[in-house]
Amino acid sequence: MARRALKLVSLAAASSGFYLYSSKYLDPNDFGAVRVGRAIATTAVITYDYLTSLRSVPYGSQEYAYLKSQVHLRSAERLRDLCCANRGTFIKVGQHLGALDYLLPEEYTRTLKVLHSQAPQSSMQEIEQVIREDLGKEIKELFVSFEDTPLGAASLAQVHKAVLQDGRTVAVKVQHPKVQAQSSKDILLMEILLLTVKQIFPDFEFMWLVDEAKKNLPLELDFLNEGRNAEKVAHMLKDFDFLKISRNLGKLYSEMIFVNGFVHCDPHPGNVLVRKCPATSKAHIILLDHGLYQVLTEKFRLDYCRLWQSLIKADMKRVQKYSRRLGAGDLYPLFACMLTARSWNSVNRGIDRSPVTANEDVEIRTNAAAYLPQINQLLNNVPRQMLLLLKTNDLLRGIESALHTRASASSFLNMSRCCIRAVSTYQRSKSHSLYRKAKISLLEALSLWQINLHELFLRLKGSRLGNWVIAFLSRMHHSPY
């Protein structure tokens, strides 16, 4: 097992390594009573704050809105401190909550986002103990050198740079002590606390979050599974050679979601690196942390493709049809807004027609708070595959916003290409007629050609030459001669 894992990390840029856990060092945070008591106390304080702070203030007033924002902020800070103190599973769930930009109040997402970059580190003493217990050898017996300071620390593990005895530079990923042993107990504790809160606030519907943690956390703690995922996605995307990152991150994920149905579901900023290749000066995307992937069923993937095609074309009848097929029911307008992070007016006009404005962002957040019970009902009804995709969409939108490429026409064109290829491939696989297969291929090529022509037009329109031609034609049109 160790040899296989060491082979997986033989590239310096790789983040998968050999897979280690458990430690015997005592830490007050590791005692069940301390962790449980801290979680119960934090939940009780947050609940009491919500029950009492807004009780005597008129609902809907400016004072109510201000006080509610302050309660949100205090509660988010308490939740962040709980996650940092209990570590492990708590940080993982806190990171998930921090990515739900259009499901939670801004005070929560803004406060919890720090967990992506400020995860606690294990001490070198703990790392040495983990390696000793798992492999039966000391660090100096396995490596020529092993840097004490980690390259990065996450909720479940941290990564150290090292050199093997054969001279290869590797990234060694070491699981934090006791995370695996504590994870099932932590999830059970969260489930009990959420059920208790729901008894007090009936509209509080976040049990889907616990269900997702139950299913996904064991996968993320299985580092051999992560190694296999890293190998699979490396082979799947081996032909991608990106020149411009801001546009091609979306292209990369469109390929994974619509064409392959194998999706890296944790693309927060700490897991997406950009580097300049010294040999070619081209920019490269590096995806880290391959523990959590979503495998999409064929039926789900094709319905999702057709839904996005309908959203891009602003075909509301088909948006309703495929939203219902994906479990949205009568809440399909809300579902469309959640998927695109656009207002219902923008969805009806066409999501590629206009960029997102600050006013629209405010409208989306306001509506998200107002429709929270319906949002939670929707999240409980859609297939479990959809939950990770919604989280992935939110994380990608955060990166696109930082790179100023959010809702760009090119991102929708790339999505359209992938959807066309995916649907055409499926149709050919189900056809037994050579004529029918040729017709499908011809229509696919024609559709892709139309998209390429439209993209060329948009590029020319945005270029100096395009502006000159438009200005010249405008003058000719208004010329008296």
Side-chain angles (χ1 to χ4, degrees):
M1 179 182 297
R3 287 178 188 162
R4 170 174 166 74
L6 285 173
K7 183 179 179 181
L8 292 176
V9 298
S10 59
L11 295 177
S15 68
S16 55
F18 60 80
Y19 308 96
L20 316 161
Y21 59 89
S22 91
S23 172
K24 292 180 180 176
Y25 289 104
L26 294 178
D27 184 329
N29 290 306
D30 296 331
F31 290 111
V34 174
R35 296 168 64 79
V36 170
R38 186 186 289 123
I40 292 175
T42 301
T43 304
V45 170
I46 291 174
T47 302
Y48 182 79
D49 200 355
Y50 275 103
L51 285 172
T52 58
S53 297
L54 304 173
R55 187 166 50 193
S56 58
V57 184
Y59 179 81
S61 64
Q62 287 187 346
E63 184 183 4
Y64 183 91
Y66 172 77
L67 289 177
K68 183 173 71 171
S69 176
Q70 294 301 304
V71 176
H72 285 335
L73 182 58
R74 288 196 299 269
S75 301
E77 290 173 345
R78 289 165 180 149
L79 187 58
R80 177 202 61 203
D81 294 343
L82 169 65
C83 293
C84 289
N86 277 9
R87 302 188 295 185
T89 309
F90 281 82
I91 287 183
K92 195 68 187 177
V93 173
Q95 288 175 340
H96 193 163
L97 291 172
L100 301 178
D101 284 302
Y102 297 97
L103 302 183
L104 291 178
E106 183 182 7
E107 293 86 353
Y108 276 91
T109 56
R110 186 178 67 244
T111 302
L112 294 175
K113 268 183 170 60
V114 302
L115 296 175
H116 287 300
S117 57
Q118 296 182 12
Q121 296 180 5
S122 294
S123 67
M124 194 57 201
Q125 190 180 36
E126 291 173 315
I127 296 300
E128 290 172 347
Q129 180 67 18
V130 166
I131 292 176
R132 186 182 304 118
E133 291 186 352
D134 194 75
L135 299 180
K137 293 185 178 180
E138 300 294 333
I139 284 181
K140 62 183 179 182
E141 298 178 73
L142 296 166
F143 305 100
V144 173
S145 65
F146 190 99
E147 293 188 1
D148 291 357
T149 304
L151 296 172
S155 55
L156 305 181
Q158 62 191 50
V159 176
H160 291 258
K161 183 178 180 180
V163 178
L164 297 176
Q165 297 290 348
D166 61 9
R168 286 180 295 164
T169 299
V170 295
V172 184
K173 187 169 183 179
V174 186
Q175 200 168 98
H176 292 312
K178 300 181 179 65
V179 166
Q180 196 163 57
Q182 292 168 342
S183 61
S184 59
K185 300 170 187 174
D186 287 344
I187 293 174
L188 177 60
L189 173 60
M190 291 178 197
E191 185 171 21
I192 294 171
L193 292 175
L194 287 175
L195 286 171
T196 303
V197 171
K198 181 169 171 52
Q199 295 300 313
I200 302 171
F201 302 103
D203 289 339
F204 186 86
E205 289 278 2
F206 274 86
M207 294 312 299
W208 58 269
L209 187 63
V210 173
D211 294 337
E212 282 300 288
K214 283 182 181 178
K215 183 182 72 174
N216 295 324
L217 197 59
L219 296 176
E220 294 189 75
L221 289 170
D222 182 355
F223 284 2
L224 286 179
N225 173 66
E226 179 177 349
R228 289 188 291 268
N229 287 342
E231 291 175 334
K232 181 175 179 178
V233 77
H235 177 75
M236 191 175 79
L237 303 174
K238 63 182 178 181
D239 295 327
F240 282 75
D241 182 17
F242 292 130
L243 301 177
K244 296 181 180 179
I245 301 305
S246 53
R247 197 168 55 192
N248 285 301
L249 184 62
K251 182 177 180 181
L252 174 69
Y253 269 84
S254 292
E255 187 79 13
M256 285 194 281
I257 292 170
F258 300 115
V259 178
N260 296 287
F262 186 68
V263 190
H264 180 287
C265 285
D266 205 11
H268 64 72
N271 284 341
V272 181
L273 306 182
V274 179
R275 74 169 185 181
K276 186 175 182 179
C277 178
T280 64
S281 296
K282 294 179 179 180
H284 290 170
I285 295 175
I286 302 170
L287 283 181
L288 305 179
D289 195 347
H290 299 278
L292 185 58
Y293 273 76
Q294 178 70 68
V295 179
L296 307 180
T297 64
E298 184 176 70
K299 179 181 182 303
F300 177 93
R301 180 172 60 87
L302 291 169
D303 284 343
Y304 195 59
C305 279
R306 288 167 173 141
L307 173 58
W308 269 104
Q309 285 180 305
S310 305
L311 287 166
I312 292 170
K313 294 177 181 177
D315 185 340
M316 291 300 107
K317 287 186 178 179
R318 287 170 65 86
V319 167
Q320 179 178 352
K321 174 183 176 180
Y322 289 109
S323 294
R324 289 182 181 277
R325 288 179 63 162
L326 288 168
D330 293 335
L331 295 174
Y332 70 90
L334 178 61
F335 185 52
C337 293
M338 288 170 61
L339 276 179
T340 60
R342 302 298 301 270
S343 68
W344 181 238
N345 286 335
S346 295
V347 171
N348 275 279
R349 286 197 307 266
I351 54 178
D352 63 337
R353 302 290 173 86
S354 58
V356 183
T357 64
N359 288 337
E360 186 177 1
D361 262 339
V362 172
E363 178 187 349
I364 291 168
R365 287 192 177 277
T366 303
N367 287 338
Y371 288 97
L372 189 58
Q374 291 88 341
I375 290 173
N376 282 313
Q377 178 187 343
L378 186 59
L379 293 175
N380 279 314
N381 290 341
V382 296
R384 299 300 89 183
Q385 300 169 82
M386 182 60 70
L387 296 180
L388 275 181
L389 286 188
L390 287 169
K391 170 197 170 186
T392 303
N393 285 344
D394 280 338
L395 289 169
L396 287 173
R397 271 192 288 266
I399 294 174
E400 288 175 343
S401 294
L403 296 174
H404 306 292
T405 61
R406 184 174 162 203
S408 65
S410 107
S411 65
F412 293 123
L413 292 176
N414 285 327
M415 291 174 68
S416 297
R417 288 188 181 97
C418 289
C419 290
I420 289 168
R421 287 168 50 212
V423 172
S424 298
T425 300
Y426 170 77
Q427 290 174 337
R428 278 193 296 268
S429 71
K430 297 300 180 182
S431 175
H432 301 291
S433 164
L434 290 177
Y435 170 76
R436 174 65 180 159
K437 288 183 178 180
K439 184 178 179 181
I440 293 168
S441 296
L442 181 61
L443 290 173
E444 177 188 9
L446 180 61
S447 297
L448 292 174
W449 180 80
Q450 289 175 328
I451 290 176
N452 292 339
L453 189 63
H454 181 60
E455 185 173 43
L456 177 62
F457 169 75
L458 292 177
R459 288 183 180 178
L460 287 175
K461 185 179 178 182
S463 67
R464 288 185 178 180
L465 176 62
N467 290 330
W468 181 86
V469 171
I470 291 172
F472 175 77
L473 292 175
S474 177
R475 285 197 299 269
M476 291 293 292
H477 177 72
H478 291 97
S479 172
Y481 304 102

